[in-house]
Amino acid sequence: MPANVENCSMGEMLAVLLARDMDDGDKAIVGTNSDIQVAACNLARARHAPQLWWVSGPGGMTNPTEGVIRPAADAENIAVSSSQFDLPVMVDFIDWKEHFFDFAILGAIQTDRFGNINTVVVGDHAKPKLRGPGTVGISALTGLSKRFYIMMTRHDRGAFVPKVDFVAGVGHRDGGTSRTDFGLPPGGPRLVVTPLGVFDFHPDSKEMRVKSLHPGVTLEEVQDATGFDLLVEGTPPVTDTPTDEELHDLRTRVDRTEVLQKKFPWAA
């Protein structure tokens, strides 16, 4: 656990960091296993982005808000949603409309230095060491959303690799202009949030860059936990931890049953 982050859980920290970067009026999509992502969207709506609009990718429910965090596909969300889209409509949005969504928030089993993500397999595809949930709609969302966020609940060399074993979602591809050269629209990952820090991407080379380190985390520690050389410019600032006001809103308006505290504590 990073030092001096004793007032919140790891899940609460990541949700707050994601929420801060969301804009009023954004259209967003989240996937099935998405407690932190749901919390981030609803916290942004509660604090500074009331017109943010998010939809459950697997369920089609928009803005389910009750102060209780459930998986995005949970049928109980229907009763507390502002509307619901049928699957054919969702497929049309996800697979065909370039830049319809302002952002998606995606987890992964691997990500690499250019923000490509893997949710399929670790190791050889024919004889995998680990199988993930698959591509589902990830390839379309990373390709067509205006931007996406990568949310990682672990930060180690197994999760942050030089090159992902399977490209389920294209980030900045091989860096530079290779994403758009490949025929994809402008976009790609904007931020990566992890238990150790916040990372962005250099505007030209598209290499993952240290944006801030959580309290008590050193540059040496985060580099040792990363399987490639992180870009560092100057002395990275310390991440602004959640304020009392942010945590109050999160716990009283978004997550009253303490899902983020129970499911996502800081690692020992």
Side-chain angles (χ1 to χ4, degrees), residues 8-15 33-37 39 69 151-154 195 255 258-267:
C8 67
S9 69
M10 185 264 289
E12 290 176 315
M13 178 90 162
L14 298 186
N33 188 20
S34 52
D35 297 322
I36 295 173
Q37 295 95 314
I69 295 176
M151 190 278 301
M152 303 288 281
T153 55
R154 50 180 279 218
D255 185 22
E258 301 179 350
V259 168
L260 299 186
Q261 295 181 58
K262 295 172 182 175
K263 289 182 66 174
F264 304 100
W266 292 104

Side-chain angles (χ1 to χ4, degrees), residues 26-34 37-38 41-42 45 52-66 68-91 93-94 100-101 103:
D26 274 345
K27 298 188 297 292
I29 184 167
V30 300
T32 302
N33 188 20
S34 52
Q37 295 95 314
V38 167
C41 290
N42 281 342
R45 282 173 49 81
L52 184 149
W53 176 94
W54 71 271
V55 63
S56 161
M61 291 83 79
T62 60
N63 296 334
T65 305
E66 190 188 20
V68 176
I69 295 176
R70 301 185 184 93
D74 196 317
E76 290 187 56
N77 286 324
I78 295 174
V80 294
S81 298
S82 58
S83 63
Q84 184 176 17
F85 292 115
D86 291 335
L87 182 59
V89 177
M90 288 299 301
V91 170
F93 286 154
I94 293 170
F100 175 82
F101 289 109
F103 70 83

Side-chain angles (χ1 to χ4, degrees), residues 115-171:
N116 304 296
I117 62 174
N118 174 18
T119 58
V120 175
V121 63
V122 173
D124 183 82
H125 194 275
K127 295 182 179 179
K129 299 177 183 177
L130 174 69
R131 285 198 181 276
T135 58
V136 286
I138 287 172
S139 56
L141 293 176
T142 58
L144 300 180
S145 296
K146 290 180 182 177
R147 68 184 190 272
F148 67 89
Y149 299 101
I150 302 172
M151 190 278 301
M152 303 288 281
T153 55
R154 50 180 279 218
H155 192 138
D156 55 48
R157 286 177 173 262
F160 286 83
V161 296
K163 188 174 181 63
V164 294
D165 293 337
F166 188 101
V167 180
V170 176

